Amino acid sequence: MRNTMSNKNLPLRVTPLVEARFGLDGGAMFGIIPRPLWGKTNPPDENNRIDMACRCLLVEYGDRTVLVDTGIGSKWSDKERGIYKIHDQDDGLRAALDERELSTEAIDDVILTHLHFDHAGGVSEFADDAETVRATFPNATHWVQRRNWSWANSPSARDGGSYRKLDFGFFETSDDAPPLELVDGIAEIMPGIEVLPVHGHTFGMQLVKVETAEHTFVHLADLIPTSSHMRDPYVMGYDLQPLVTVEEKREVLYEAAKNDWVLIFEHDPKMGCARVEHDERGRPKAVPVSL
Ligand SMILES: [Zn+2]
């Protein structure tokens, strides 16, 4: 793999960025797992919510800047901010990019793992009139799996609350919306960046694999949202096809251990990056990596 990629213009740097912190119900986040087990690693607050991060990925080529996911964004009422405990935003990605002397205009591509609000919320923002929705990254080509785009536009009654047209509807309704590229299946989006679709969490979610000269990173999206979700039965209650998630997790963790991948946990409140080890009983464990 390394050899065939060596002539390509690979990304130079990969940086995880926390866009926001929020909270979701611990029971929903751990599905069938009893609270005495998950409560040890992820202690809930008085409303049973556990701490969650929105961890995006900045991929820099030198002449090209790519963002993986956009976090929860800013289009939230006070009531919603209370329900989802949205905090620590400090102007979200804009501030994180500022720190790196990058503007939102400088982002060339946005790869969306899927269109759930905690991943695609930051794709758009309110204009100054606080009503019109406009692109946050006006010069970026936005990449999403075609299957996820279709599902997000007509989700089931069960998962409809996770897909907000407010976030992504402007791609169809706004004349000056930036380009939207619909991807079919596994694809190399650009040199060193490949998307790998999985369907257990929702239809057409895509993991993002980024190869640099030093590491292979895989952004796990909601396949394994935190380091506490490594083992087979630790599957979110939100997942549409939990048994498919179990199989997809096994396959990804096997490949990750075999190929020494650095995994990125999108929602882990503390551990951003990890490698995988399996214990003597074959159970996967996240070993933190600092970049
Ligand atoms: Zn999520």
Side-chain angles (χ1 to χ4, degrees), residues 2-18:
R2 256 315 122 71
N3 288 340
T4 57
M5 302 286 287
S6 63
N7 294 332
K8 292 186 181 176
N9 173 28
L10 293 179
L12 298 173
R13 196 157 46 154
V14 172
T15 316
L17 300 178
V18 173

Side-chain angles (χ1 to χ4, degrees), residues 114 118-119 201 222 267:
H114 61 306
D118 51 329
H119 303 255
H201 177 60
D222 276 343
H267 292 313

Side-chain angles (χ1 to χ4, degrees), residues 28-240:
M29 279 301 294
F30 286 98
I32 61 164
I33 306 299
R35 175 166 155 171
L37 293 182
W38 60 255
K40 280 190 270 183
T41 50
N42 300 71
D45 70 5
E46 67 284 2
N47 289 318
N48 210 44
R49 294 170 302 192
I50 61 164
D51 290 339
M52 309 261 294
C54 288
R55 188 169 285 104
C56 311
L57 217 52
L58 186 69
V59 182
E60 293 168 277
Y61 282 86
D63 61 342
R64 193 168 192 88
T65 308
V66 182
L67 193 60
V68 177
D69 273 355
T70 60
I72 206 160
S74 55
K75 305 183 303 307
W76 296 94
S77 67
D78 289 346
K79 186 180 167 195
E80 290 165 330
R81 283 179 188 278
I83 293 170
Y84 296 117
K85 209 180 175 179
I86 300 169
H87 63 295
D88 279 1
Q89 237 172 327
D90 293 334
D91 211 15
L93 274 179
R94 203 176 285 278
L97 294 174
D98 260 3
E99 269 177 40
R100 288 156 182 84
E101 298 185 349
L102 286 167
S103 64
T104 49
E105 285 80 14
I107 302 297
D108 299 296
D109 300 272
V110 174
I111 302 173
L112 295 163
T113 61
H114 61 306
L115 295 167
H116 279 170
F117 64 69
D118 51 329
H119 303 255
V123 112
S124 57
E125 60 187 8
F126 286 127
D128 296 336
D129 63 6
E131 226 171 86
T132 313
V133 171
R134 67 180 179 204
T136 310
F137 307 99
N139 301 318
T141 300
H142 294 65
W143 305 81
V144 86
Q145 286 282 318
R146 186 186 307 277
R147 193 169 176 197
N148 191 248
W149 174 258
S150 304
W151 185 262
N153 278 285
S154 48
S156 72
R158 182 168 181 261
D159 65 336
S162 300
Y163 288 110
R164 304 200 312 168
K165 281 256 174 88
L166 176 66
D167 294 331
F168 52 83
F170 74 100
F171 280 115
E172 284 185 331
T173 57
S174 163
D175 289 338
D176 52 4
L180 174 68
E181 288 284 341
L182 299 179
V183 184
D184 292 302
I186 296 176
E188 189 183 53
I189 302 274
M190 57 200 77
I193 302 189
E194 191 178 29
V195 291
L196 310 167
V198 284
H199 307 288
H201 177 60
T202 185
F203 298 105
M205 184 168 82
Q206 52 188 356
L207 312 185
V208 183
K209 186 173 164 200
V210 183
E211 184 142 8
T212 67
E214 292 89 38
H215 300 295
T216 299
F217 296 88
V218 174
H219 189 277
L220 294 169
D222 276 343
L223 177 66
I224 305 175
T226 79
S227 58
S228 308
H229 287 83
M230 300 284 277
R231 293 189 191 174
D232 288 349
Y234 286 67
V235 172
M236 290 190 280
Y238 303 108
D239 285 23
L240 297 182

